[in-house]
Structures are given as C-alpha cells and as structure tokens.
Amino acid sequence: MIKRLGVITRDCAGVNAALRAVVRTAVSHGLEIYGIIRGYDGLIDGNLRHLDRRSVSGIINVGGTILKSARSERFLTEEGQLQALKTIEENKLDGLIVIGGNGSLSGAHLLASKYGIKVIGVPATIDNDVNMVEHCLGADTAVNVALDALDKIRDTATSLERIFVVEVMGRDYGYIAMKVALAGGCEDVILPEQDFDLNEICQEIQAGNAQGKVSWIVIVAEGKAKAQDVATAITLLTGLETRIVVLGHIQRGGRPTAFDRILGSKLGSAAVEALLSGETDKCVALKDEKIELIPLEIAIQPKKLIFEHEYRLLKLLS
Ligand code: F6P
C-alpha cells in the first residue's frame, strides 16, 4: 500500500504546476509527500523536503522548478543508484513521481525495471521529444517565448532590411524550430529531421532580393547547425549582410502558458492516481483530452518527428 511518495523534477515551464498538482492530489488521498531537492543528486544525498498543500502555493505561474534540478552524473553509476535506493528505503518512500525529459524518465525506468521501485513519469521537456507523447510540459511555453523574441527581431529585420539567422534550442529535435518558424512567418528553417541546401537558400534570397525583398529570418535548430556558420555562409554566397541571434536558455524559463499550466495540472494529478491504482514504470500523457499511460521503456526510445507538411506550408506562405 502506498503511504509515502517522493517527487523529483527537472526544470522547465509547467513543472511547478505539475508539482502543485502532484502534492495536492497526494495530500487529498491522505498520502505523505516529499520533494527531492536537485533531482537524482538529491535522491543520492538524501536531500528531501516534506511538502504540504501550502508549500506549493503561488507556484502555478512560476517557471523552472522550486525543487531545483541537476544533471546527475553520479546516478549513472551503480554506486549512485544504490545510494539512491538507500534513501528511498530509509525514508520509506513507497513510490516516486519523476517529472522530466528523456534523461529523467530513463532514470525512472531504471529504478522501476532494475530495482523494483514503483515509479510514474510526467514528460516535461522543451524539446518535446518523449516518444509517443504529443505534448511534453514546457514545449508550448518555449515556443511562445522564442516567438516573442522573434517578433522583436523581425521589427529590426524589417526596418534595417537585414537577414537574421536565429538559433533555437531543441537538442537533436526540430520541434521548437519548426513551430517558431511557422508561427513567426519565417522565410526558412533548418531542421535536424531533414536535409538542407545552403546554396538553395541563398539562391532564393538572391532571387527575392532581385525582386525587392529585403529582409529574411532563417531559423536554425541547434541540433543541426550553428547560426554563426549559416550566417557566414549566406554572406559569403550572397554578399548580403547578416546578423545572428542565439536564443539559448531564455526558452526554458519564463511564465508557463495557460496550456502548460493546465497540462501540468492534469498530468501531475493523473500521475498520483496512476501510482495509487497500481501502475508503475509508465508515464502519463494527454491524448484527445484523455489520460494515457505509456510504458517508460517505449517513452524513452527516440521519437520520430515529421515536419514535411509544415515545412511545405512554411515555404508556400513565406
Ligand atoms: O533538453 C532541454 C535543453 O534545454 C535542450 O534544448 C538543450 O540542448 C539542453 O537542454 C541544454 O542543456 P543545459 O541546460 O544543460 O546546457
């Protein structure tokens, strides 16, 4: 029987909303709940904090995670894992909720499959790359944060008649890049999921330029190329002036959108309910407004994103 739960978080917008839902759902079921501070490192070090309804007040609108996070090298070792198990045993945790992306969910799968810990994951990553999950927490906010920056860049691109190359995050995936490029009315996007031809991009720029088109924004997904290299090549091939912007970590922070707050609330609550109904080694996801449970073994496999249709649309409309 589950009486005491632990919750581990990674940072991105919507995670605090999910944490609030986890804590309040757990408390309403009469469970005791502990926040693990600094992710898996906190589990290894026994860094736990008792949480109650009030300790998650006023956080639904706050980015990042109030529990702090870390990429834990130690948890990748057997010694670290055994130390984490000791913390779970000593604190009598009957189950864990892990809110995070691929790394966090891989750790959750390991705890469940190798050590028999009851674990449910909540997919949270701006890269939106958790397999079989349509919407990971944080991705919508990241797209909107990047879009807000892009709209500002366009003001300058248009006024000064310049070419901007804007690099966005997403690790090995082009989710943010594709969505931002489409929503921002950009002229082109370079994605990890498809080949690109710089000569072709430059020919289009030159052809447009000859017809009086003077400003361009090209989005580059960090997993495919560097904005600086693309900009240098464009200048070299077209003779036109370029500027680069690397948006970086601003995309992971910021106030969560309504979408991420609601998604976090639904997934966090569903994760606790799933554990209570005996589920383990799975993550929760929302599909057609219904909660689905996806085995972690499948969720951590590489996700195949296809952007052909959206890319064609972008080219048609740009
Ligand atoms: O996975 C989320 C992400 O923000 C990626 O988009 C990015 O490549 C990476 O994390 C950056 O990692 P760090 O914050 O450790 O530099």
Side-chain angles (χ1 to χ4, degrees), residues 136-155:
C136 297
L137 275 179
D140 185 65
T141 303
V143 168
N144 280 289
V145 166
L147 186 62
D148 181 55
L150 195 75
D151 288 345
K152 291 170 181 147
I153 292 165
R154 186 170 289 288
D155 291 345

Side-chain angles (χ1 to χ4, degrees), residues 17-18 21 261-271 284 286 289 291:
R261 296 181 201 194
I262 294 167
L263 183 66
S265 304
K266 288 180 178 173
L267 295 184
S269 191
V284 285
L286 201 63
E289 283 308 311
I291 295 292

Side-chain angles (χ1 to χ4, degrees), residues 3 11 61 91 102-103 178 202 216 227 254 276 295 305 309 312:
K3 288 189 184 149
D11 75 296
N61 56 340
N91 289 279
N102 270 316
M178 187 67 245
C202 290
W216 264 265
L276 284 175
L305 290 173
H309 175 70
R312 268 206 305 277

